Amino acid sequence: MSRWEEPRVVHRFAELHALPADVRVDPAAHAARWLVDGTIRGVPHAASAPVVSRVALRDGDTPSAPLLGHEAMLGADDAREALAAAGRAWADGEGAWPAAYAADRARAVGAFADAVAARADDIATLLMWEIGKPRPAARDEVTRSVDYIRNTMHEFARLRAEDHALQTGTAGGRTHHAYTERRPLGKVLCVAPFNYPVNEFLTTIVPALLMGNVVIAKTPRFGVLANGLLLEAFRDCFPPGVVAVLPGDGRISIPALMGASRTDVHGHPAAEIDVLAFIGSEGAANAILKSHAVPITLHKVLGLGAKNVAAVLPGADLDAASAALVKGALGFNGQRCTAEKLVFVHRSIADDLVRRLATRVDALKVGMPWDDGVAITPLPEPDKLASMRALLDDALARGARVVNRDGGRGSFSLMHPAVVYPVADGMRLYHEEQFGPLLAVAVFDDADEVLAWQRRSPYGQQAAVWGPPETAGPLARALVRFVARVNVNDVCQRGPDSFGFTATDKSGFGTLSLREALLSFSRPVLVQSPSAATLETIAPRHKAPGPT
Ligand code: G3H
């Protein structure tokens, strides 16, 4: 047994008879299904795989992974069938959906939001089982997604109101008049991650649909059953072919989609997928991008890996900072791309901060997703404990310590979070994204050391600075060179959703926010004339509610 094994933690798992009635799941109700061409289809048993939970049930000292349902393991031919249906729905931008009135598309999306809201509790229950998300966070993931959809609809209405407004410019002494409108891009492949399998699924699919695109959505590795509860809503709210939902192994379906091409009217190869919206690891993103048939034509929105730092300066409110950092680093067991993955603390306050962090981490409740007040829950990836322990062993061998009680100890899929200190150059934890329950703390003497770390980092999502404005300000201003968002006396985070969610370097490309996602899934077209009167006549706003 390894030094980290802690069989007693298994007693935190539920026993079947002690399961609350409202979280029981009937595997027979979650058969393997997918959505293609407006039809929800089952698959033969041989083409399905069991979906088992890492939120184990316990019989004495033995945990066992309960069966939740089945996943359709689609093949390349299934992916190509979805692509053909999407092609018919798109019809070179002249299909019923891309050519529909904007107001009709908005109505369909509104009905979809209502349908998702109606299933919120069932979806949240599956999120608890499939990814171990605590009940309040699981519910929040669904309600936040519904809010996101409705708020995106408001932004969509505002954006449409801006379309066709006349602008003027001068060149060579002549006055030019023009208006712009935004057009959809085509067939969008959306791939979401397992940590927000519903929210990050919908925050790309919905803006893409509103703008008139058609979507093929690949479900994440975990969360397939939660997304399965959306199939009826997709089928009922959108025309056939406008949305396909593909479960199964992305290593089979995604290359089949990305690599697909046809010959255009000029005899040139044209890719079938026009847009990739991918949230996941940079390694997977790279492989997917390389498989595209005509890379130069691909639009992309990418949310990738991150190693966000928080720098805690002398004079910072350590009570507030320690509370926030524990939440920021260990919320959902550290499985958030925006999590603080490395805390830099000034040497003069390091002992104080580390003591506070350890005390707060020891107070976190470890248990089942439905337990009241639970913070640390089972990890869905079967190899997660091993990978966390490899990082820990490496750090400990190079001089770091675990400074909280039971940090790193656990069994099966439950692990006590570890505060690791001092993490330093040469340790894997100093550079690598852990995406798990390890709170890594490094010491600095001069703020330039934080900047030097950031300069070397391949990542560029967010950073946080804690301290009084006189010292936090200069560091925050320097950090903007390396990341896409600096949080001052607050944790790294995606929200509010009206703010742009973006990143630089290997952490991402493009922006997702209520408004900018709509821009990301569309292109501007300019119509120009020397005559304002002519443009006034032809601008579609004068033909309301004409197709847009
Ligand atoms: O994992 C990446 C998520 O988009 C982070 O969102 O900061 O709201 O947890 P969050």
Side-chain angles (χ1 to χ4, degrees), residues 383-408:
D383 55 354
K384 198 67 178 199
L385 267 67
S387 66
M388 291 297 101
R389 285 163 180 172
L391 288 172
L392 275 175
D393 285 333
D394 172 75
L396 269 50
R398 295 169 198 279
R401 287 172 296 125
V402 172
V403 296
N404 65 309
R405 197 179 54 235
D406 289 335

Side-chain angles (χ1 to χ4, degrees), residues 348-367:
S348 63
I349 51 170
D351 288 348
D352 193 354
L353 182 77
V354 168
R355 211 168 20 247
R356 289 169 192 263
L357 292 173
T359 304
R360 288 185 185 280
V361 171
D362 285 342
L364 295 177
K365 182 168 171 180
V366 178

Side-chain angles (χ1 to χ4, degrees), residues 103-307:
D104 286 344
R105 288 205 299 269
R107 241 187 312 279
V109 168
F112 177 73
D114 294 343
V116 177
R119 303 226 64 182
D121 285 342
D122 297 335
I123 296 170
T125 298
L126 285 171
L127 290 178
M128 287 191 267
W129 283 104
E130 288 192 89
I131 58 170
K133 194 163 270 195
R135 192 197 296 258
R139 282 205 176 125
D140 182 64
E141 176 163 347
V142 188
T143 51
R144 175 179 174 179
S145 305
V146 172
D147 290 346
Y148 190 100
I149 298 172
R150 294 191 175 133
N151 291 331
T152 302
M153 289 165 61
H154 289 303
E155 279 303 325
F156 179 63
R158 286 171 52 178
L159 199 62
R160 302 313 303 200
E162 290 166 21
D163 267 0
H164 313 130
L166 286 198
Q167 340 158 5
T168 56
T170 53
R174 282 180 62 208
T175 300
H176 298 255
H177 301 274
Y179 68 78
T180 53
E181 63 180 65
R182 299 202 69 88
R183 304 298 310 165
L185 297 170
K187 283 162 270 173
V188 181
L189 172 60
C190 295
V191 186
F194 78 79
N195 62 335
Y196 280 94
V198 172
N199 183 258
E200 294 198 329
F201 207 52
L202 296 179
T203 57
T204 54
I205 293 173
V206 165
L209 288 175
L210 270 172
M211 294 311 288
N213 302 283
V214 300
V215 169
I216 298 176
K218 166 70 188 72
T219 56
R221 193 153 50 111
F222 308 109
V224 64
L225 301 183
N227 276 326
L229 295 185
L230 304 176
L231 295 189
E232 280 78 7
F234 279 128
R235 179 196 62 194
D236 297 345
C237 297
F238 302 105
V242 171
V243 185
V245 178
L246 272 55
D249 188 343
R251 289 167 301 185
I252 294 172
S253 55
I254 293 175
L257 296 166
M258 291 291 282
S261 66
R262 62 188 186 284
T263 303
D264 71 11
V265 286
H266 309 293
H268 299 139
E272 291 288 358
I273 293 293
D274 301 293
V275 189
L276 172 69
F278 176 90
I279 302 176
S281 75
E282 66 271 20
N286 239 340
I288 293 172
L289 288 167
K290 283 183 185 154
S291 67
H292 192 253
V294 189
I296 198 168
T297 62
L298 183 72
H299 300 255
K300 58 188 188 201
V301 185
L302 309 172
L304 308 173
K307 181 89 178 172

Side-chain angles (χ1 to χ4, degrees), residues 133 140 144 193 195-196 199-200 203 279 304 331-332 335-339 341 433 435 461-462 491-495 497 501:
K133 194 163 270 195
D140 182 64
R144 175 179 174 179
N195 62 335
Y196 280 94
N199 183 258
E200 294 198 329
T203 57
I279 302 176
L304 308 173
F332 191 36
Q335 300 167 122
R336 294 166 52 246
C337 61
T338 46
K341 310 258 167 55
E433 177 179 23
F435 211 74
Q461 193 200 57
Q462 298 192 18
V491 284
C492 301
Q493 59 201 292
R494 175 172 177 159
D497 288 323
F501 180 49

